[in-house]
Amino acid sequence: MIGYLHGFLGSPEVWGEVEGIRLAQPPIAATWRAQLAVIAEQLGPVDAVVGYSLGARLALGLVAEGLAPRAVLISVNPGITETERPARRAADAAWARRFRTEPLANVLDAWEAQPLFAGSSRADRRAQRLALDAEQCARSLEVLGLAEMPDYRGAVDERIRLIAGADDPKFVAIARALPAPLELIARSGHDPTADQPAALRDAIERALRP
């Protein structure tokens, strides 16, 4: 059985009709590791976990903490240094404040306008995002943000396969610096689940082969 974890502001529907457990993000726990335990319990025994962005970071955490045997990570950042944490924590806190104090539509406009997501926004995703709980979005940034995640770069090994959009230079560079096989999705930016879903499904299938 394969478990699928979506990214921040995502939903299980981003995975289409893949066979496996398409897990919706549960209510946010108190800490990063507590969240991993909740996710592992909801998934149950799995052969592998596939995750995109935040979901990829969580999937890597499941493998690193011995809660899943292997993972396919799409557009993943495996961790940052201690010196980078304060700035990232401040940035995530600023976004969390916006989710709590501004109309959700306005915050989504600003989030989707970031250069990282250029060309990846779709009307169906927008409708799903407008139905999100703004407080849960804020809590996700505070508990599951990159600044709160352990540095898992040392856990990337033969248990890991990597996928990135070929038109996402930042995350292609991150992936190429890691000791794991990488497949690039042509004509895709940061979010292959939106840009090239069919090509992504094929790449995931290849990555899951023994």
Side-chain angles (χ1 to χ4, degrees), residues 47 90 98:
D47 299 312
R98 294 190 68 175

Side-chain angles (χ1 to χ4, degrees), residues 29-87:
T31 65
W32 171 271
R33 285 192 167 90
Q35 192 75 16
L36 288 183
V38 170
I39 291 171
E41 181 177 6
Q42 289 199 341
L43 286 174
V46 291
D47 299 312
V49 184
V50 177
Y52 159 68
S53 196
L54 169 58
R57 294 194 288 111
L58 290 165
L60 177 56
L62 291 172
V63 173
E65 305 290 344
L67 300 172
R70 60 192 181 110
V72 179
L73 311 178
I74 304 155
S75 303
V76 71
N77 188 328
I80 57 177
T81 66
E82 292 305 312
T83 57
E84 294 173 298
R85 290 186 189 279

Side-chain angles (χ1 to χ4, degrees), residues 4 8 29 62 108 114-115 143 148 151 165 180 194 197 199 201:
Y4 292 85
F8 180 62
L62 291 172
L108 292 177
Q114 295 179 92
V143 176
E148 313 311 320
D151 184 352
R201 284 194 297 271

Side-chain angles (χ1 to χ4, degrees), residues 106-185:
N106 292 0
V107 187
L108 292 177
D109 285 342
W111 184 270
E112 293 167 356
Q114 295 179 92
L116 184 65
F117 304 113
S120 288
S121 181
R122 295 190 344 193
D124 57 341
R125 300 291 172 87
R126 177 68 172 200
Q128 292 165 0
R129 288 173 175 177
L130 286 170
L132 293 172
D133 183 328
E135 176 61 24
Q136 279 288 94
C137 295
R139 289 285 296 148
S140 179
L141 288 163
E142 292 170 339
V143 176
L144 306 180
L146 193 57
E148 313 311 320
M149 167 186 165
D151 184 352
Y152 287 132
R153 285 175 289 183
V156 178
D157 54 24
E158 69 278 355
R159 300 171 294 175
I160 300 299
R161 298 292 182 270
L162 303 171
I163 297 173
D167 298 332
D168 180 9
K170 176 181 177 179
F171 279 78
V172 170
I174 290 172
R176 283 180 168 157
L178 299 172
L182 167 65
E183 180 168 346
L184 300 181
I185 304 297

